[in-house]
């Protein structure tokens, strides 16, 4: 089921969308503080209204070539996660009524491939994105179960 309103944005020269209700703020890039041991697309931590929030380069996470533009930060609803996504640009808000077609996509992070007046847009499945990021952090954490951590 397609959400009523979508936020359109771009990363790695591709159009993406998230359910507008899943995004709480769009920000200009700000200083971030790296944290050791995280995968390279984790750019660091930012201060979002007094809360430490992980900043992830969306293109890097998706295995796409990231652009060195300053870009924008999409802060995910803090009830869902303390996460911000670095994207290339934020476009517009799209009403579901203007979607002209929808198809499936073989990427498990993509809920649907939508045909819109702006072109083909990948509607991201936020729950799968958050699950993938969390699993990746677990996998990159040092194993402290045994002495020597192997």
């Amino acid at each position: 089921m397609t959400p009523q309103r979508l936020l359109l944005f771009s990363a790695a020269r591709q159009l993406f969308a998230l359910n507008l209700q899943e995004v709480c703020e769009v920000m200009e890039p700000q200083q971030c503080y790296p944290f050791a041991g995280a995968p390279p697309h984790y750019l660091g931590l930012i201060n979002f209204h007094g809360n430490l929030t992980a900043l992830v380069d969306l293109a890097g996470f998706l295995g796409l070539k990231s652009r060195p533009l300053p870009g924008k930060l999409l802060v995910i609803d803090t009830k869902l996660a303390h996460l911000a996504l670095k994207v290339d640009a934020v476009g517009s808000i799209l009403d579901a009524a203007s979607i002209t077609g929808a198809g499936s996509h073989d990427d498990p992070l993509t809920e649907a491939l939508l045909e819109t007046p702006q072109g083909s847009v990948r509607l991201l499945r936020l729950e799968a994105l958050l699950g993938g990021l969390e699993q990746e952090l677990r996998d990159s954490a040092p194993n402290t179960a045994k002495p020597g951590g192997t």
Side-chain angles (χ1 to χ4, degrees):
M1 183 171 132
T2 304
Q4 290 298 312
R5 296 190 321 159
L6 304 171
L7 179 64
L8 299 180
F9 58 95
S10 63
R13 300 177 195 257
Q14 294 185 26
L15 285 176
F16 293 92
L18 277 171
N19 180 346
L20 185 60
Q21 293 181 336
E22 298 170 336
V23 177
C24 70
E25 193 165 325
V26 176
M27 302 173 58
E28 295 297 323
Q30 59 174 275
Q31 183 175 5
C32 68
Y33 304 91
F35 56 99
H41 44 270
Y42 276 82
L43 302 175
L45 297 169
I46 62 171
N47 180 348
F48 178 67
H49 301 293
N51 293 307
L52 289 177
T53 301
L55 175 60
V56 171
D57 179 354
L58 179 62
F61 176 71
L62 296 175
L64 304 171
K65 187 174 179 181
S66 183
R67 297 177 69 190
L69 298 170
K72 298 284 186 187
L73 306 184
L74 297 181
V75 182
I76 301 303
D77 185 339
T78 56
K79 289 179 243 152
L80 303 172
H82 289 280
L83 175 69
L85 301 173
K86 182 218 172 251
V87 300
D88 295 343
V90 175
S92 58
I93 295 173
L94 180 70
D95 205 56
S98 60
I99 296 171
T100 57
S104 62
H105 194 280
D106 56 356
D107 178 6
L109 298 176
T110 302
E111 186 170 327
L113 190 59
L114 304 175
E115 296 303 321
T116 72
Q118 290 81 7
S120 292
V121 175
R122 286 172 59 181
L123 175 60
L124 290 177
R125 183 176 287 137
L126 185 61
E127 187 175 307
L129 178 71
L130 296 176
L133 288 166
E134 187 175 322
Q135 184 62 47
E136 201 178 52
L137 279 179
R138 277 195 208 118
D139 294 345
S140 68
N143 183 350
T144 57
K146 295 187 226 175
T150 57

